[in-house]
Coordinates of all heavy atoms in Angstrom, one line a residue:
D141 N 93.6 66.5 156.3 CA 93.3 65.2 155.6 C 94.2 65.0 154.4 O 93.8 64.5 153.3 CB 91.8 65.1 155.2 CG 90.9 64.8 156.4 OD1 91.5 64.4 157.4 OD2 89.7 64.8 156.2
G142 N 95.4 65.5 154.5 CA 96.4 65.3 153.4 C 96.4 66.2 152.3 O 97.2 66.2 151.4
Q143 N 95.4 67.1 152.3 CA 95.2 68.1 151.2 C 95.6 69.5 151.7 O 95.4 69.9 152.8 CB 93.8 68.1 150.7 CG 93.2 66.8 150.2 CD 94.0 66.3 149.0 OE1 94.3 67.0 148.1 NE2 94.4 65.0 149.1
L144 N 96.2 70.3 150.7 CA 96.5 71.7 151.0 C 95.3 72.4 151.4 O 94.2 72.2 150.7 CB 97.2 72.3 149.8 CG 98.6 71.9 149.5 CD1 99.1 72.5 148.2 CD2 99.6 72.3 150.6
I145 N 95.3 73.3 152.4 CA 94.1 74.0 152.8 C 94.2 75.4 152.1 O 95.2 75.9 151.6 CB 94.0 74.2 154.3 CG1 95.1 75.1 154.9 CG2 94.1 72.8 155.0 CD1 94.9 75.5 156.3
T146 N 93.0 76.1 152.2 CA 93.0 77.5 151.9 C 92.9 78.2 153.3 O 91.9 78.2 154.0 CB 91.7 77.9 151.1 OG1 91.7 77.1 149.9 CG2 91.7 79.4 150.8
P147 N 94.0 78.8 153.7 CA 94.1 79.4 155.1 C 93.3 80.8 155.1 O 93.0 81.4 154.0 CB 95.5 79.6 155.3 CG 96.3 79.0 154.2 CD 95.3 78.9 153.1
A148 N 93.1 81.3 156.3 CA 92.6 82.6 156.5 C 93.3 83.2 157.6 O 93.7 82.5 158.6 CB 91.1 82.6 156.7
W149 N 93.5 84.5 157.6 CA 94.2 85.2 158.6 C 93.7 86.7 158.7 O 93.1 87.2 157.8 CB 95.7 85.2 158.4 CG 96.2 86.0 157.2 CD1 96.6 87.3 157.2 CD2 96.2 85.6 155.8 NE1 96.9 87.7 155.9 CE2 96.7 86.6 155.0 CE3 95.9 84.4 155.2 CZ2 96.8 86.5 153.7 CZ3 96.0 84.3 153.8 CH2 96.5 85.4 153.1
F150 N 94.0 87.3 159.8 CA 93.6 88.7 160.0 C 94.5 89.3 161.1 O 95.3 88.6 161.7 CB 92.1 88.8 160.4 CG 91.8 88.1 161.7 CD1 91.8 88.9 162.9 CD2 91.6 86.8 161.8 CE1 91.5 88.2 164.1 CE2 91.3 86.1 163.0 CZ 91.3 86.9 164.2
A151 N 94.4 90.6 161.2 CA 95.4 91.4 162.1 C 95.1 91.3 163.6 O 96.0 91.0 164.4 CB 95.5 92.8 161.6
L152 N 93.9 91.5 164.0 CA 93.6 91.6 165.4 C 92.1 91.3 165.6 O 91.2 91.9 164.9 CB 93.9 93.1 165.9 CG 93.4 93.5 167.3 CD1 94.2 92.7 168.3 CD2 93.6 95.0 167.5
G153 N 91.8 90.5 166.6 CA 90.4 90.1 166.8 C 89.8 90.9 168.0 O 90.3 91.8 168.5
N154 N 88.6 90.4 168.4 CA 87.9 91.0 169.5 C 87.9 90.2 170.7 O 87.2 90.4 171.7 CB 86.4 91.3 169.1 CG 85.6 90.0 169.0 OD1 86.2 88.9 168.9 ND2 84.3 90.1 168.9
G155 N 88.8 89.2 170.7 CA 88.9 88.3 171.9 C 88.5 86.9 171.5 O 88.7 85.9 172.3
K156 N 87.8 86.7 170.4 CA 87.4 85.3 169.9 C 87.3 85.3 168.4 O 86.7 86.2 167.8 CB 86.0 85.0 170.5 CG 85.5 83.6 170.2 CD 84.2 83.3 170.9 CE 83.7 81.9 170.6 NZ 82.4 81.7 171.3
T157 N 88.0 84.3 167.8 CA 87.9 84.2 166.4 C 86.5 83.7 165.9 O 85.8 83.2 166.8 CB 89.0 83.3 165.8 OG1 88.7 82.0 166.2 CG2 90.4 83.7 166.3
R158 N 86.2 83.8 164.6 CA 84.9 83.5 164.1 C 84.9 82.2 163.4 O 85.9 81.7 162.9 CB 84.4 84.6 163.1 CG 84.5 86.0 163.6 CD 84.2 87.0 162.5 NE 82.8 86.9 162.2 CZ 82.3 87.6 161.1 NH1 83.1 88.3 160.4 NH2 81.0 87.5 160.8
S159 N 83.7 81.6 163.3 CA 83.4 80.5 162.5 C 83.2 80.9 161.1 O 82.5 81.8 160.8 CB 82.1 79.8 163.0 OG 81.5 79.1 162.0
S160 N 83.8 80.1 160.1 CA 83.7 80.4 158.7 C 82.2 80.3 158.3 O 81.7 80.9 157.4 CB 84.5 79.5 157.9 OG 84.1 78.1 158.0
R161 N 81.5 79.3 159.0 CA 80.1 79.1 158.6 C 79.3 80.4 158.9 O 78.4 80.8 158.1 CB 79.5 77.9 159.4 CG 78.0 77.6 159.1 CD 77.5 76.5 159.9 NE 77.7 76.7 161.3 CZ 76.8 77.4 162.1 NH1 75.8 78.0 161.5 NH2 77.0 77.6 163.3
E162 N 79.5 81.0 160.1 CA 78.8 82.2 160.5 C 79.2 83.4 159.7 O 78.4 84.2 159.3 CB 78.9 82.5 162.0 CG 78.2 81.4 162.9 CD 78.3 81.8 164.3 OE1 79.4 82.0 164.8 OE2 77.3 81.9 165.0

Side-chain angles (χ1 to χ4, degrees):
D141 280 349
Q143 302 298 313
L144 289 170
I145 71 169
T146 301
W149 68 94
F150 62 97
L152 172 66
N154 70 347
K156 185 179 181 181
T157 69
R158 306 174 70 188
S159 152
S160 63
R161 180 181 59 80
E162 291 185 303

